[in-house]
Amino acid sequence: MKRILTIQDISCVGKCSLTVALPIISAQGIEACILPTALLSTHTGFKNFTFRDLTDEFDAITRVWHKENIAFNGIYTGFLGSFSQLELIEKIFNEFSGSAPLILVDPCMGDNGKLYHGFDEKFVMKMRELCTKAHVITPNITEASFMCGMPFFGSDYTQDYILELLEGLASFGVRKIVLKGIRYKQNECGIIAYDAKTKEKVEYFHEFLPFHTSGTGDIFASVLFGSLVNGETIETAIKKAANFVLESIKITLQDNNRTWYGVQFEKSLKDIII
């Protein structure tokens, strides 16, 4: 069985980060190991939450892994809460790359044209550097625009602008980019996968559902990563991940007792179980 490491926070309530990544990656027949970056009572979309930073545990945990000769077939990072964590994770990439794992970085920093609370330009530049260590990155348009130093136009952008974003990310050493949340038409949403070396693009567009909640990006990245670890093509992987998110949203919208803080992805796991 393949074994991967995912580095994200644990939100005890709220469907995001590790509580999303663990079941989705496991459903794809992959052993999912974790390095938690922080422990939260709920994700930060709630009005009240506790937060415990776990950065100081990184070195002790990884030292044990070295002693036990633990190796991974892939490493996947999600939400990272501090500049110091970015530096430590770059070290983890270097230390555990001997078995040539697939590395995916989801540069969770912002959305809707703004950085998340507590992030600044210094963090963006360090995240950009971390992205160059990955085989695949999965930014949204906001994150891509910040890393490229380009303006954010909301939904008022052209295909040329999206191509400029992709080429901008490629120019500082990113290998493969999966750009999310592209909307040329009001009722469509899509993904473009771009190979920096070959300049090949793969596009996949599907219907847009007006349901905004936390965790859908984490769900997408988790399905995508599991698919790639299992040897599927980038074209198959982006379609599989997008369709899984879409189906999960549709199921959630059918439930009158749905919560506001996440989608019912659990009911779609049967579609990806191996």
Side-chain angles (χ1 to χ4, degrees), residues 124-125 127-133 137 139 143-149 165-175 177 196:
V124 171
M125 291 300 101
M127 177 61 82
R128 189 172 87 168
E129 182 181 332
L130 186 69
C131 285
T132 66
K133 311 298 181 183
I137 66 169
E143 293 153 351
S145 67
F146 271 101
M147 286 194 286
C148 290
L165 278 181
L166 294 168
E167 291 177 342
L169 292 169
S171 70
F172 56 78
V174 173
R175 299 180 225 186
I177 303 131

Side-chain angles (χ1 to χ4, degrees), residues 3 70-75 93-102 135:
R3 175 191 297 132
I70 293 171
F72 304 102
N73 298 107
I75 303 174
F93 286 173
N94 293 332
E95 290 180 351
F96 290 93
S97 61
S99 56
L102 173 74
H135 300 98

Side-chain angles (χ1 to χ4, degrees), residues 52-65:
R52 175 66 61 88
D53 191 307
L54 299 177
T55 308
D56 291 343
E57 300 296 322
F58 280 24
D59 281 341
I61 291 171
T62 54
R63 280 199 302 270
V64 171
W65 291 346

Side-chain angles (χ1 to χ4, degrees), residues 184-255:
Y184 297 134
K185 299 177 182 178
Q186 189 173 7
N187 62 342
E188 267 189 358
C189 186
I191 305 101
I192 296 179
Y194 181 78
D195 189 308
K197 185 177 181 179
T198 65
K199 300 189 182 302
E200 291 180 342
K201 287 193 303 178
V202 175
E203 300 182 357
Y204 180 61
F205 285 83
H206 55 80
E207 66 178 300
F208 173 74
L209 295 175
F211 181 67
H212 300 281
T213 186
S214 300
T216 52
D218 298 334
I219 294 170
F220 176 88
S222 298
V223 177
L224 177 79
F225 179 65
S227 299
L228 294 175
V229 169
N230 281 331
E232 297 179 22
T233 65
I234 194 78
E235 181 175 11
T236 299
I238 63 171
K239 289 180 180 179
K240 186 175 181 180
N243 289 340
F244 184 87
V245 173
L246 186 65
E247 183 61 24
S248 298
I249 292 174
K250 287 181 177 180
I251 289 172
T252 304
L253 290 174
Q254 293 170 4
D255 187 350

Side-chain angles (χ1 to χ4, degrees), residues 102-118:
L102 173 74
I103 296 175
L104 184 148
V105 170
D106 188 8
C108 303
M109 297 183 291
D111 204 359
N112 298 314
K114 296 180 180 179
L115 293 174
Y116 296 141
H117 177 72

